[in-house]
Amino acid sequence: MTIPKATRATILPCLRYRDAPAAITWLCNTLGFKASLVVPNEDGTIAHAQLSYGNGMVMLSSIFDTDFGRLLKQPSEIGMGVTQSAYLVVNDADEVHARCVQAGAPIEMPLQDEDYGGRGFTCRDPEGHVWSIGTYDPWEQ
């Protein structure tokens, strides 16, 4: 059995965006991420970015035609479907929901109190990736 490395977070979602600079701005301004590392290419695309949120992080880049890049599809390429999503644990779901609505994010599941605890909602970012955001903290169970 593999032993996880003793680090802050052992699972990091990785996303690709057609307009990665705009995605970084949206994720920071709307969801509250902080850009801890952004590596731009000379042509304005993003080779690699790390956005932190508390002890979590997502990594993202622009879309590139590479062996790895060809494994992934954007939501717009598959009828706005997704094969995974991220859950962001927040202190105040109502506040983040208001920012998402103000930013024009499509709300896919309304802000509500959940049967399993917490309060949350699900939205899409500008390129269609699905984000669930809520106060439910699975580490507290």
Side-chain angles (χ1 to χ4, degrees):
M1 181 193 284
T2 303
I3 305 297
K5 182 177 180 175
T7 187
R8 283 187 178 181
T10 57
I11 299 174
L12 304 171
C14 299
L15 302 163
R16 298 178 324 145
Y17 289 92
R18 286 185 178 84
D19 187 346
I24 291 167
T25 299
W26 191 90
L27 291 167
C28 291
N29 291 345
T30 306
L31 297 186
F33 281 91
K34 291 189 182 355
S36 55
L37 175 68
V38 177
V39 181
N41 290 315
E42 289 182 16
D43 65 359
T45 60
I46 301 298
H48 178 77
Q50 297 171 188
L51 307 183
S52 61
Y53 187 91
N55 67 348
M57 180 182 293
V58 296
M59 296 190 298
L60 66 88
S61 74
S62 296
I63 296 172
F64 298 109
D65 186 20
T66 62
D67 288 342
F68 180 73
R70 288 186 289 278
L71 294 173
L72 307 173
K73 298 292 181 201
Q74 293 301 98
S76 63
E77 295 176 287
I78 55 173
M80 295 310 284
V82 296
T83 59
Q84 90 264 298
S85 68
Y87 180 76
L88 188 64
V89 180
V90 299
N91 286 314
D92 187 341
D94 291 79
E95 177 187 328
V96 180
H97 181 268
R99 286 198 311 262
C100 288
V101 169
Q102 170 113 26
I107 305 299
E108 297 292 341
M109 296 177 65
L111 179 64
Q112 62 189 3
D113 294 322
E114 301 293 352
D115 293 339
Y116 51 82
R119 182 168 173 77
F121 67 99
T122 299
C123 69
R124 289 184 185 265
D125 68 23
E127 293 197 22
H129 296 283
V130 172
W131 293 85
S132 292
I133 297 138
T135 60
Y136 175 75
D137 184 346
W139 297 108
E140 292 181 350
Q141 302 310 311

